[in-house]
Amino acid sequence: MLPSESIERVVELFASLPTIGKKTARRLAFHLLRQSEQDVEQFATALTEMRSRVRECGVCHTFTDADVCGICASPKRTQSVICVVEQPSDVMAIERTGDFRGRYHVLHGALSPLDGIGPEDLRLKELIARMTPEVEEVILALNPTVEGEVTTQYIAKLSSPLGVRITRIARGVPMGSDLEFADDATLARAFEGRTPL
Ligand code: ZN
């Protein structure tokens, strides 16, 4: 037990974040205590503002401060190719490669019956609604996990009556890992080697 309840509380909160252990949580709390009150206030305000301002893009469902995100609003991005990903962080990972000029669709997860995540919990209806005749290709870039695989097959089946060309990225991304942690070169290669479904 730390000799301060307020420090203890912050440590608990930091430790509740992914990948943050108790030791790192303590280090972060003490780091903040050494900052000026103004700096810590700015930090806290940035967190609350992020939470209240950020919402889903009305088109692709990635996180954005506006009604429509910068990618969907850009005339430079082709509407004929949609890349489907699980999370907004995957959009950032693919954008880092700088190769993809189409648009995205963020599902906000993957099918996982064991965790009670079904089709209605994902932005699947919205994806199907976007598969209009102008769309030439839908690239499935889901995580190489069991859930990602199940979701890939589900989307392929769901969209087959629409006649849209569905492809998936190559298996360069290691099985069981997250797309967002793949290095840029691997991700770029996976895009180049995509295969039809
Ligand atoms: Zn968007």
Side-chain angles (χ1 to χ4, degrees), residues 32 35-50:
L32 287 175
Q35 308 278 302
S36 71
E37 267 189 51
Q38 197 192 355
D39 282 354
V40 175
E41 203 169 300
Q42 273 180 11
F43 190 89
T45 308
L47 287 177
T48 36
E49 277 189 5
M50 175 184 79

Side-chain angles (χ1 to χ4, degrees), residues 12-22 24-25 28 178 180-181:
E12 291 284 325
L13 287 170
F14 273 132
S16 71
L17 298 173
T19 75
I20 308 275
K22 261 282 162 70
T24 307
L28 291 172
D178 271 3
E180 64 171 305
F181 300 126

Side-chain angles (χ1 to χ4, degrees), residues 96-117:
R96 272 205 311 272
T97 70
D99 289 339
F100 182 63
R101 303 313 300 157
R103 294 181 180 186
Y104 294 94
H105 189 88
V106 181
L107 296 173
H108 288 273
L111 293 173
S112 180
L114 288 177
D115 301 313
I117 301 170

Side-chain angles (χ1 to χ4, degrees), residues 57 60 69 72:
C57 166
C60 73
C69 78
C72 289

